[in-house]
Amino acid sequence: MAVQFGRRLRRGATTTAVAAAAVAALSASQAPGSPLVASEDDQPAAGATPSDDNAASGNSPYFTDLPPLNTPDKPGASVDLPVTGSAESGIPASILAAYKKTQQTVAGTDAACRLPWQLLAAIGKVESGQARGGRVDAQGTTLSPILGPALNGQGFALIKDTDNGAYDGDSTHDRAVGPMQFIPSTWETWGQDGNGDGRKDPNNIYDAALAAGRYLCAGSRDLSLAADLDRAVLSYNHSDEYLRTVRSWFDYYKRGTHEVPDGSGVLPAGLGTGTDTPRSGRPDTTKSPSPSPSPSPHGSTTPKPPSKPSPTPTDPGGPAGKPSYPPPTPDPTPSQTLAGLKNAGTGPLTATAGDAFAERIKVRARNGFGGPLAKVSVTFAITGDTDAAFAGGKRTVILATGADGTVTAPVLKAGEKAGEFAVRATATGTSLPAVSYPATVTARQADAIARTDTEKLTAAPGATFADIEVAATYKKAVAHGVAVTATMITDDEKPVENDKGPYFEEKDGKQVRSLTDLSTDADGKLVLPKIHAGDTAGTYKLRLTAEGGATVIIELTVEAAA
């Protein structure tokens, strides 16, 4: 069943005027044709969906409640506030934990993005009222699905079904799903497993928050920059009004918040107690959009101006204490637009098993003019059947380009598995072509192998030979970890495995005359397993072959019986 939607907007709709002047400033209506901070082309290509849906939520409705005029705490004071703080600043425990965990996770893989958890909290507030006040189970999954209205083109975007109802239960049109309100097609691309249960569930706050974090950080965004933060928010819901609403909550949460028990968070106006009774997702047309006053954040029908003005979440600026927002920025110019990645001079990648590749992988980001582009997030990923890894054992790393547009991957180390694989460099979160770097791992080799002593090897029938030790070298240096094959051979012009004479013995007592699982130690030496003489007198040959082609023939003499 779908959650009730209270005062929510559709794209292009205007808001009701708010009585208090400061609140009215924060909720200034979206004038038709007003400029947006980001262009349509700025949306993450990997999350692109049908026309009229260029946003994570499909530009579906959202709650328009604004923060109270009083701030949670004084600027610069501790954010660890007691539960007795402002009710609006309280965030349910599981929801708050998911936001903070996402910030930490993203910081470990895409530090250049600088994702603040308060931005996730602001989006979660306007999208679902913090999962309907924190109505989630112990794993962070909503107690019942949170679904937006059908995006059927009647007051909202027209998005026909893309998931056969798998996520939203609607096989005709798509609906935004879960506490972060992803449309199914976007979730299919950006969905994450944030709680480590092996599933990507849009109804789980840990999964949904991490997916939102990855989506907001797409491309080369640095969310510590106001313009990049605005573009990220607009990529979620392409509306100036949405941006203003999220911005107001973002600034509010940055001034302080506190944890409250799950299920006890403040619900948006019109959501009531968060029951699952569905209602139409179409805009409420029973009330005139103006001049009726809007409900205050605390549900009062007649807003009263405070006796003493309180500081607003943003620093007042301009006439009448109107909060200042970053001015809309123009669409990115070709010099600011990522056009692609290219190899920045990386040579052939070859290494011997267990060694580090001498060559470092380097990539350059290019703008629309072919020049360098800084702060582009690049993902280096090892692909193919190999145990090679970057320093620290990682198979995937994410780094940002420098001022010259280049970034160098960490040292690549070959594993023990010989063969070919590749490293792919992609612009994180985009569908731009990847740059592929083929790599080859060769097995450890020896160009010489010989016994460490020259004593003749003899044994009586039924006895065993003395231990045989050999040493392998490569270019006169110790060849450690080199694979060696030992085979008893005939004395023919073209020797084959001998079925008579000396033999090795396996653990189960089975006689074998060939061993393939041998290798030299750290000193390049190898002591062969015990060799049994057998019962037939004569002179026999043992051939040792090292990886790389080096061989040695060792004679074994079984003496005649006395």
Side-chain angles (χ1 to χ4, degrees):
M1 301 296 285
V3 64
Q4 294 188 57
F5 283 82
R7 284 184 61 249
R8 303 195 71 171
L9 288 182
R10 63 180 176 86
R11 184 170 66 166
T14 56
T15 60
T16 303
V18 179
V23 177
L26 283 173
S27 61
S29 62
Q30 178 186 343
S34 59
L36 295 173
V37 173
S39 69
E40 294 289 337
D41 294 335
D42 189 55
Q43 312 310 320
T49 43
S51 61
D52 206 21
D53 162 34
N54 203 8
S57 65
N59 295 329
S60 61
Y62 54 90
F63 292 106
T64 59
D65 296 25
L66 293 168
L69 293 177
N70 60 303
T71 56
D73 196 8
K74 295 179 180 180
S78 170
V79 296
D80 297 322
L81 301 181
V83 176
T84 56
S86 168
E88 283 286 3
S89 68
I91 299 178
S94 293
I95 312 304
L96 182 59
Y99 296 151
K100 291 186 175 181
K101 182 179 180 182
T102 291
Q103 174 182 284
Q104 183 179 12
T105 300
V106 172
T109 57
D110 190 5
C113 175
R114 298 177 175 85
L115 171 72
W117 67 261
Q118 291 91 342
L119 179 59
L120 297 170
I123 291 176
K125 179 68 174 179
V126 302
E127 291 292 351
S128 68
Q130 309 298 17
R132 292 182 297 187
R135 297 182 64 207
V136 297
D137 61 20
Q139 288 71 46
T141 302
T142 57
L143 300 181
S144 58
I146 300 177
L147 299 175
L151 299 175
N152 54 14
Q154 299 180 27
F156 310 113
L158 173 60
I159 306 178
K160 294 185 178 180
D161 176 64
T162 60
D163 65 330
N164 199 28
Y167 292 118
D168 56 12
D170 190 332
S171 58
T172 304
H173 297 94
D174 270 352
R175 297 171 181 257
V177 182
M180 303 304 281
Q181 291 288 277
F182 277 95
I183 56 172
S185 57
T186 305
W187 180 261
E188 193 64 31
T189 299
W190 292 90
Q192 301 287 318
D193 178 15
N195 61 354
D197 65 355
R199 300 176 60 236
K200 298 178 181 180
D201 183 2
N203 296 297
N204 181 277
I205 185 58
Y206 291 94
D207 295 359
L210 182 56
R214 300 286 191 208
Y215 185 91
L216 293 168
C217 286
S220 57
R221 292 186 185 125
D222 178 352
L223 299 184
S224 66
L225 303 177
D228 277 6
L229 187 143
D230 287 352
R231 292 190 182 98
V233 174
L234 287 169
S235 76
Y236 217 91
N237 193 313
H238 209 60
S239 158
D240 279 347
E241 179 63 27
Y242 181 83
L243 172 61
R244 295 186 187 100
T245 307
V246 170
R247 269 284 194 174
S248 66
W249 282 107
F250 176 55
D251 292 332
Y252 181 75
Y253 286 136
K254 283 200 301 182
R255 290 178 177 269
T257 187
H258 61 279
E259 178 185 299
V260 298
D262 287 348
S264 65
V266 174
L267 298 175
L271 187 56
T273 59
T275 60
D276 296 329
T277 304
R279 58 165 286 179
S280 171
R282 298 181 63 180
D284 187 355
T285 57
T286 61
K287 296 182 181 180
S288 172
S290 175
S292 302
S294 302
S296 75
H298 298 290
S300 173
T301 56
T302 307
K304 296 180 180 180
S307 57
K308 181 182 292 185
S310 302
T312 58
T314 54
D315 186 25
K322 181 180 291 187
S324 59
Y325 290 95
T329 57
D331 291 346
T333 64
S335 64
Q336 301 170 321
T337 303
L338 176 63
L341 304 177
K342 64 178 296 186
N343 188 336
T346 307
L349 296 172
T350 58
T352 301
D355 292 345
F357 285 80
E359 191 74 15
R360 296 279 294 275
I361 298 171
K362 191 174 184 181
V363 67
R364 175 177 288 107
R366 299 177 292 112
N367 61 23
F369 292 129
L373 189 61
K375 290 189 176 181
V376 174
S377 179
V378 178
T379 299
F380 296 94
I382 297 173
T383 63
D385 185 16
T386 180
D387 53 355
F390 293 113
K394 297 180 179 179
R395 287 180 63 89
T396 301
V397 293
I398 300 177
L399 300 170
T401 58
D404 62 351
T406 66
V407 61
T408 302
V411 172
L412 182 63
K413 185 176 180 180
E416 293 302 321
K417 185 177 240 181
E420 297 180 348
F421 65 97
V423 177
R424 287 168 54 86
T426 58
T428 310
T430 75
S431 59
L432 292 171
V435 181
S436 185
Y437 300 83
T440 303
V441 177
T442 58
R444 291 188 175 95
Q445 298 182 357
D447 54 17
I449 185 170
R451 286 186 62 197
T452 56
D453 62 61
T454 57
E455 184 178 349
K456 186 176 180 180
L457 295 168
T458 60
T464 58
F465 289 91
D467 288 344
I468 300 175
E469 182 183 75
V470 295
T473 57
Y474 181 70
K475 295 181 178 180
K476 297 184 179 180
V478 169
H480 66 279
V482 175
V484 177
T485 299
T487 306
M488 302 295 178
I489 59 174
T490 61
D491 197 14
D492 302 329
E493 184 178 346
K494 292 183 178 181
V496 294
E497 182 178 312
N498 200 338
D499 60 356
K500 299 181 179 62
Y503 59 88
F504 299 103
E505 193 173 90
E506 294 184 336
K507 291 181 180 180
D508 59 1
K510 181 181 178 180
Q511 296 180 11
V512 295
R513 291 183 169 82
S514 182
L515 295 177
T516 59
D517 56 349
L518 306 173
S519 63
T520 59
D521 60 18
D523 297 323
K525 295 180 179 180
L526 166 66
V527 176
L528 296 177
K530 283 291 185 180
I531 299 177
H532 299 263
D535 299 326
T536 305
T539 299
Y540 300 89
K541 291 182 178 180
L542 168 64
R543 181 179 65 198
L544 301 181
T545 303
E547 186 72 38
T551 61
V552 61
I553 304 294
I554 300 173
E555 286 194 349
L556 303 172
T557 301
V558 179
E559 299 174 329

